[in-house]
């Protein structure tokens, strides 16, 4: 697959570089596992096969062999040559076909799964791109992205799988209380539960910052483990939702922890969109 | 007999967090590593990673936990049925550092502020065995304990945008080595020619949580030699014998 135009920010991701936290290596991996998994399973791939994760503005790609793809997650008005495409259906691709994207109609991140998965280099057990670990960090013009070309033998697809896209429009983020939640004052707790927060422009695969601040007198903690979905409260009162490329340890109080569903919902939000935390009781 | 258990709770739906007292000590690290090893044995057949920090053990699952209740119970049982009795064998690695003023760009400043000779700073820094508590922050970054109180110094008020790979720094009661070029606020006293993280190795780094390291002062010529050896893949990390 050849990259004709790179778009805003697209990268190859699977479920991440699991098992390397002990070396301080971020896990990385798809921001929205549900969408990536759906796209993969429709092609009878493994759920965590490498997909292309596209952020807001899609690339223009030329296929160098016949294959099948599925697009899922955000709806970015995909087109194959001149034909408009739908998300969540199996699309037959011929050699030379050109996939492009247009207006964003819902969500923030779209996923392109390809029959057999993308075949980029595996490092430390994962094909996920991450600066300093993989050769590339994002798509660039002229790049060639390899995929398994004999994949057409897997003709059978799983088109009956249904994609429930309600979360793309939902502002409710499911969370559990974090390890330091109980150190918060009653006022801070009710602020977290009742207030709306807006996504800050400072948002990336590493972390999503929220605009509204919480008053904060909590002391920093002794550096401890953090994982994707951990919500940290900084000394200045900013809330930072850690995402897939986050560091493995941190010293700010961890006030909330997103559920898997919470992570994929916030991964589909754009700058200035509003969210509300829905605190679930945990065991 | 009642036993005081650490705090054991779910962290979201894909992890369990075990937290001991909020302190940094080698004794606590021994305890953490002892229980970490036992917990790892619970999970040999599952895609789960178990890591530690100063006072925590994180049990991180690849996907959401299926039966959180019984997994929590199993982890609690580890603490009910085992007592941390013996110390864990730790290895000591020799880490070469060149404290030449070209690398140790803050050495003279520290010497002035602490009223020490540069040579005293070097001998205070190379004397202790530092305990490796864990890795975090950046791939291959070691959280070390054991810095001499005389060398404790505040961070730069204005962090540097770019610190060289291998830079050895001091910040408050911590010392460490920047494994790659990055911004940072520590006072820089030297540079270590070793590579602390090699993504192409199956095990990216030889030093593990619980090991010890000891810095050895080298001159610029030795520094260049080691760089060459690393380039050609024939550098061997030196393991020291423990005295006594």
């Amino acid at each position: 697959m050849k990259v004709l135009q790179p778009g805003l920010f697209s990268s190859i991701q699977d479920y991440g570089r699991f098992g390397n936290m002990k070396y301080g290596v971020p896990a990385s991996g798809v921001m929205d596992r549900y969408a990536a998994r759906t796209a993969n399973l429709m092609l009878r791939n493994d759920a965590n096969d490498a997909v292309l994760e596209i952020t807001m503005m899609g690339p223009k790609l030329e296929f160098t062999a016949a294959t099948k793809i599925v697009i899922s997650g955000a709806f970015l008005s995909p087109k194959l040559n001149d034909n408009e495409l739908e998300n969540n259906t199996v699309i037959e691709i011929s050699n030379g076909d050109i996939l492009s994207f247009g207006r964003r109609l819902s969500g923030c991140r779209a996923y392109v799964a390809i029959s057999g998965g993308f075949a980029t280099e595996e490092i430390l057990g994962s094909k996920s791109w991450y600066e300093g670990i993989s050769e590339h960090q994002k798509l660039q013009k002229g790049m060639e992205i390899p995929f398994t070309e004999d994949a057409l033998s897997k003709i059978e697809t799983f088109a009956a799988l249904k994609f429930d896209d309600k979360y793309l429009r939902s502002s409710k983020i499911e969370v559990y209380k974090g390890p330091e939640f109980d150190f918060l004052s009653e006022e801070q707790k009710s602020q977290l539960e009742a207030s709306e927060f807006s996504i800050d422009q400072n948002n990336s695969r590493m972390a999503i910052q929220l605009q509204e601040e919480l008053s904060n007198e909590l002391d920093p903690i002794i550096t401890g483990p953090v994982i994707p979905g951990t919500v940290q409260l900084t000394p200045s009162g900013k809330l930072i939702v850690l995402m897939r490329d986050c560091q493995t340890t941190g010293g700010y109080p961890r006030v909330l922890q997103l559920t898997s569903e919470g992570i994929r919902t916030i991964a589909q939000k754009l700058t200035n969109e509003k969210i509300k935390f829905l605190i679930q009781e945990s065991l | 007999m009642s036993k005081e258990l650490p705090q054991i709770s779910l962290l979201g739906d894909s992890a369990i967090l075990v937290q001991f007292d909020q302190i940094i000590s080698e004794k606590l690290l021994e305890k953490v590593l002892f229980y970490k090893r036992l917990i790892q044995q619970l999970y040999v057949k599952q895609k789960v990673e178990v890591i530690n920090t100063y006072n925590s053990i994180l049990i991180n699952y690849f996907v959401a936990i299926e039966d959180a209740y019984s997994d929590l119970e199993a982890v609690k049982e580890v603490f009910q049925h085992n007592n941390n009795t013996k110390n864990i064998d730790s290895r000591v690695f020799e880490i070469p550092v060149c404290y030449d003023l070209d690398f140790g760009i803050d050495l003279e400043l520290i010497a002035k502020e602490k009223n020490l000779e540069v040579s005293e700073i070097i001998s205070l820094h190379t004397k202790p065995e530092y305990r490796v508590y864990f890795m975090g922050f950046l791939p291959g970054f070691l959280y070390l304990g054991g810095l001499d109180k005389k060398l404790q110094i505040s961070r730069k008020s204005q962090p540097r945008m770019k610190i060289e790979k291998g830079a050895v720094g001091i910040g408050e009661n911590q010392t460490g080595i920047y494994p790659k070029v990055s911004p940072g606020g520590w006072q820089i006293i030297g540079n270590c020619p070793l590579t602390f993280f090699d993504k192409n190795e199956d095990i990216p780094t030889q030093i593990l949580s619980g090991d010890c390291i000891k810095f050895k002062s080298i001159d610029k010529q030795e520094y260049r030699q080691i760089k060459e050896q690393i380039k050609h893949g024939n550098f061997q990390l030196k393991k020291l014998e423990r005295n006594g």
Side-chain angles (χ1 to χ4, degrees):
Chain A
M1 192 178 77
K2 220 160 102 186
V3 180
L4 304 180
Q5 277 161 28
L8 181 65
F9 188 101
S10 303
S11 65
I12 298 292
Q13 299 289 336
D14 51 22
Y15 268 23
R17 201 155 274 113
F18 191 79
N20 293 283
M21 231 181 142
K22 60 178 173 292
Y23 306 120
V25 179
S28 302
V30 289
M31 295 278 275
D32 177 349
R33 280 191 179 184
Y34 175 67
R37 178 178 181 274
T38 306
N40 269 326
L41 293 186
M42 283 183 147
L43 293 165
R44 298 250 157 169
N45 286 351
D46 287 336
N48 65 346
D49 273 346
V51 297
L52 181 67
E53 180 181 275
I54 297 168
T55 315
M56 281 158 63
M57 282 160 60
K60 193 171 180 184
L61 307 163
E62 183 184 335
F63 289 91
T64 48
T67 185
K68 291 173 199 288
I69 61 166
V70 172
I71 306 167
S72 191
F75 190 76
L76 307 180
S77 307
K79 266 164 80 173
L80 191 67
N81 306 320
D82 284 326
N83 304 317
E84 288 177 8
L85 298 173
E86 282 176 45
N87 272 12
N88 308 304
T89 63
V90 176
I91 301 153
E92 303 274 350
I93 302 285
S94 308
N95 187 3
D97 276 354
I98 289 176
L99 177 68
S100 61
F101 295 85
R103 234 155 64 89
R104 187 199 67 84
L105 295 181
S106 69
C108 177
R109 291 181 167 89
Y111 293 86
V112 179
I114 196 160
S115 190
F118 286 101
T120 51
E121 192 188 1
E122 184 169 311
I123 299 162
L124 298 172
S126 168
K127 297 192 175 81
S128 290
W129 286 3
Y130 176 75
E131 195 185 358
I133 300 283
S134 57
E135 194 190 338
H136 305 294
Q137 191 192 359
K138 59 175 186 175
L139 282 195
Q140 264 149 15
K141 196 174 173 168
M143 259 182 190
E144 299 261 1
I145 311 293
F147 58 89
T148 321
E149 288 190 26
D150 61 355
L152 270 191
S153 55
K154 288 210 278 179
I155 295 168
E156 204 186 351
T157 51
F158 204 6
L161 210 77
K162 204 172 145 27
F163 182 75
D164 184 352
D165 68 354
K166 278 202 287 291
Y167 74 100
L168 293 178
R169 295 177 298 273
S170 170
S171 60
K172 299 214 165 41
I173 307 292
E174 266 189 19
V175 295
Y176 292 114
K177 292 169 184 169
E180 280 74 53
F181 182 85
D182 286 337
F183 299 152
L184 295 169
S185 68
E186 289 310 312
E187 196 198 327
Q188 288 172 313
K189 285 180 191 172
S190 62
Q191 257 182 296
L192 274 180
E193 264 170 300
S195 311
E196 264 193 342
F197 293 93
S198 327
I199 308 285
D200 192 73
Q201 59 177 3
N202 204 338
N203 69 79
S204 68
R205 288 186 40 84
M206 197 177 278
I208 296 173
Q209 198 169 301
L210 303 178
Q211 289 171 14
E212 294 77 7
E213 290 177 11
L214 226 61
S215 62
N216 181 26
E217 270 112 54
L218 286 190
D219 289 329
I221 56 166
I222 293 175
T223 298
V226 294
I227 54 176
T230 301
V231 183
Q232 295 179 315
L233 179 60
T234 70
S236 67
K238 285 259 186 236
L239 291 161
I240 296 175
V241 184
L242 299 179
M243 295 304 282
R244 297 287 179 197
D245 281 349
C246 70
Q247 291 177 1
T248 56
T249 56
Y252 297 138
R254 301 155 293 185
V255 293
L256 297 171
Q257 178 68 44
L258 273 61
T259 65
S260 302
E261 206 173 317
I263 292 176
R264 64 151 141 133
T265 306
I266 204 165
Q268 293 293 358
K269 297 287 164 281
L270 305 176
T271 304
N272 292 329
E273 271 194 84
K274 305 266 187 252
I275 58 148
K276 223 174 146 178
F277 292 119
L278 206 66
I279 301 183
Q280 315 272 303
E281 279 309 314
S282 176
L283 275 181
Chain B
M1 186 187 82
S2 78
K3 240 184 124 215
E4 216 184 298
L5 288 186
Q7 230 180 326
I8 301 168
S9 56
L10 291 172
L11 183 62
D13 56 21
S14 315
I16 295 173
L17 181 64
V18 179
Q19 290 193 95
F20 297 85
D21 299 336
Q22 288 279 324
I23 50 167
I24 298 176
S25 82
E26 286 201 56
K27 207 175 142 209
L28 180 58
L29 179 72
E30 297 277 344
K31 195 164 152 183
V32 165
L33 293 176
F34 172 80
Y35 286 111
K36 181 175 98 170
R37 202 176 287 186
L38 291 175
I39 291 170
Q40 277 168 331
Q41 288 163 14
L42 289 181
Y43 289 100
V44 280
K45 287 192 186 129
Q46 284 182 65
K47 202 159 180 186
V48 168
E49 63 179 328
V50 185
I51 63 135
N52 74 282
T53 58
Y54 292 114
N55 68 335
S56 305
I57 299 171
L58 178 78
I59 308 163
N60 190 28
Y61 291 63
F62 186 55
V63 291
I65 307 173
E66 257 175 56
D67 185 349
Y69 180 79
S70 70
D71 283 15
L72 272 178
E73 285 305 303
V75 172
K76 281 178 190 161
E77 255 182 54
V78 167
F79 291 92
Q80 271 147 0
H81 295 308
N82 298 281
N83 262 314
N84 174 25
T85 46
K86 66 173 192 330
N87 286 346
I88 288 164
D89 294 332
S90 69
R91 308 167 299 174
V92 192
F93 292 102
E94 185 179 273
I95 305 296
V97 174
C98 182
Y99 297 91
D100 188 281
L101 291 180
D102 284 349
F103 291 126
I105 46 180
D106 295 319
L107 271 174
E108 284 179 320
L109 201 136
I110 301 169
K112 213 168 143 196
E113 193 175 320
K114 293 274 156 188
N115 205 11
L116 293 165
E117 299 289 328
V118 166
S119 62
E120 286 176 288
I121 297 175
I122 296 169
S123 86
L124 284 170
H125 196 251
T126 48
K127 205 169 158 204
E129 270 181 15
Y130 298 92
R131 198 74 194 261
V132 178
Y133 281 82
F134 59 96
M135 269 173 254
F137 171 51
L138 289 170
F141 180 83
L142 310 173
Y143 279 85
L144 300 173
L147 182 68
D148 194 300
K149 280 203 169 59
K150 293 191 206 94
L151 289 181
Q152 295 187 6
I153 186 163
S154 54
R155 293 180 176 86
K156 294 250 159 230
S157 54
Q158 189 68 43
R160 289 190 173 95
M161 290 308 289
K162 189 186 164 195
I163 288 183
E164 295 302 327
K165 177 185 174 209
V168 177
I170 294 173
E172 315 293 347
N173 59 353
Q174 285 184 292
T175 184
I177 306 153
Y178 286 88
K180 64 171 195 178
V181 174
S182 59
W186 282 7
Q187 312 276 357
I188 303 304
I189 60 170
N191 194 290
C192 169
L194 306 189
T195 296
F196 278 86
F197 183 80
D198 184 349
K199 65 192 180 191
N200 298 314
E201 295 284 331
D202 272 348
I203 296 173
T205 166
Q206 296 175 55
I207 303 165
L208 295 173
S209 173
D211 285 335
C212 293
I213 66 165
K214 199 165 187 296
F215 294 119
K216 185 195 175 204
S217 176
I218 56 167
D219 61 28
K220 268 184 149 171
Q221 196 189 336
E222 290 169 283
Y223 180 91
R224 279 192 295 269
Q225 277 167 2
I226 294 174
K227 277 273 186 203
E228 276 300 301
Q229 286 171 352
I230 288 172
K231 210 167 116 192
H232 296 103
N234 54 14
F235 176 80
Q236 280 252 306
L237 196 58
K238 192 171 159 196
K239 219 154 87 176
L240 298 172
E241 293 302 320
R242 274 201 191 279
N243 350 311

